Amino acid sequence: MTKHLFLFTILIFSKALVNEVRASLQYPVVVSTWPFLEAVRAAWNAVDGGFSAVDAVVEGCSACEKLRCDGTVGPGGSPDENGETTLDAMVMDGVTMKVGAVAAMRYVPEGIKAAKLVLEYTKHTMLVGDQASAFAISMGLPGPTNLSSVESIEKWTKWKDSSCQPNFRKNVIPRDSCGPFHPNGPSIRRCLMDNELRPNEFGSVNVGLHSHDTISMAVIDQIGRIAVGTSTNGATFKIPGRVGDGPIAGSSAYADAEVGACGATGDGDIMMRFLPCYQAVENMRLGMEPKLAAKDAISRIARKYPNFIGALFAVNRNGTHAGACHGWTFQYSVRNPGMNDVKVFTVHPQ
């Protein structure tokens, strides 16, 4: 009886010690935009099982694509003006600083895996359009397949019935129709020389939580390597050919294993002009804590576009994280060794 009690005591002590050591560990860490819980769990299971940061990011974003998170990630959502769904995705290795990305990719449902193929099997950074699709299929991904869904076609049909309003056109005629569109004014030269911004051009138009979103994820693996990944089907009713910030390193996400990482979401057409994630990581390199680094990166955009909508998270190499947003309330998700499951953090506009 005494022997059994001794063994039981040792077992309890061992479990407590393991839990204490695990809670004190800084990584692995997974951080993602929005409450995409299953995506974070998929990435956590991968990295906790020994996957590299790059592979874990791909696992997490791939889960979101399959789940069609918020209808804004993966196939079956965000139709463009022609009713077609296209994908943008990016993977960045914060150790090597190598990037793989695809943009405006048609017919291939696995955007993040296509981006990883660009990273691993080419000397390029980004492939676009039908050529990106052909490359991905040639390298073994399934396709070609129709990326539209019953839901996306229904949404597009209702939009067409509403005279294609709202849309992303400006300075065109006819304004309140589905086109074809032509430049508005005495000449194209006059349009190009007009430097006066209309009031709504200082902010985000047609952008909302379920019409314009991205999963942006950062992972620090068990040995401290950092990677980021993004996947999105872009802005709903975008002009065909439009590429947002999703596949742009430094805008939607950025990683440097010497410093930390960042992930962003929101009005990509505005945000990509400022490279907010590059800014946030460089802020941390200069000594800023993640909270201040994130707030500074967002405030730089807000000074020029006071009505824009966007958000980001920043995480340093030690796993300390924070978020900042403008124009909406933002949530991001985290899993680290001190948590039993994914935890969602809410950030209010600054």
Side-chain angles (χ1 to χ4, degrees), residues 193-333:
M193 291 180 64
D194 186 357
N195 292 320
E196 296 180 4
L197 286 174
R198 300 173 187 269
N200 64 5
E201 292 184 50
F202 285 108
S204 301
V205 182
N206 309 338
V207 177
L209 181 58
H210 301 292
S211 66
H212 196 301
D213 197 14
T214 303
I215 180 171
S216 184
M217 177 178 286
V219 173
I220 307 177
D221 66 22
Q222 293 183 9
I223 60 175
R225 295 173 297 194
I226 305 178
V228 291
T230 68
S231 184
T232 181
N233 49 40
T236 304
F237 311 131
K238 60 184 175 285
I239 298 170
R242 178 262 188 186
V243 174
D245 66 330
I248 308 299
S251 187
S252 65
Y254 193 74
D256 186 331
E258 296 178 356
V259 182
C262 168
T265 183
D267 189 342
D269 287 298
I270 290 177
M271 296 179 78
M272 67 195 298
R273 303 167 192 171
F274 295 83
L275 298 180
C277 274
Y278 175 80
Q279 183 66 54
V281 171
E282 289 305 301
N283 284 346
M284 290 190 289
R285 190 191 306 277
L286 294 174
M288 290 187 191
E289 289 298 313
K291 184 174 183 178
L292 182 58
K295 289 181 67 175
D296 175 76
I298 286 292
S299 67
R300 290 168 182 261
I301 307 174
R303 283 198 295 269
K304 297 288 187 179
Y305 292 89
N307 297 320
F308 101 98
I309 294 174
L312 61 81
F313 68 78
V315 55
N316 66 21
R317 60 181 295 189
N318 298 321
T320 303
H321 56 84
C325 61
H326 186 87
W328 57 8
T329 297
F330 172 55
Q331 292 184 306
Y332 69 99
S333 306

Side-chain angles (χ1 to χ4, degrees), residues 101-115:
V102 292
M105 186 174 71
R106 310 167 73 191
Y107 311 130
V108 177
E110 298 181 275
I112 193 70
K113 290 183 178 178

Side-chain angles (χ1 to χ4, degrees), residues 140-199:
L141 289 185
T145 186
N146 185 357
L147 301 186
S148 299
S149 65
V150 172
E151 294 80 8
S152 69
I153 293 300
E154 182 179 321
K155 181 186 292 187
W156 176 70
T157 300
K158 289 182 179 178
W159 179 73
K160 294 283 284 186
D161 291 342
S162 298
S163 300
C164 301
Q165 301 300 312
N167 60 47
F168 289 92
R169 305 279 180 166
K170 69 175 186 178
N171 300 329
V172 296
I173 52 173
R175 288 185 59 184
D176 300 321
S177 80
C178 295
F181 300 100
H182 306 283
N184 182 24
S187 69
I188 295 178
R189 185 171 181 270
R190 172 70 182 90
C191 290
L192 295 176
M193 291 180 64
D194 186 357
N195 292 320
E196 296 180 4
L197 286 174
R198 300 173 187 269

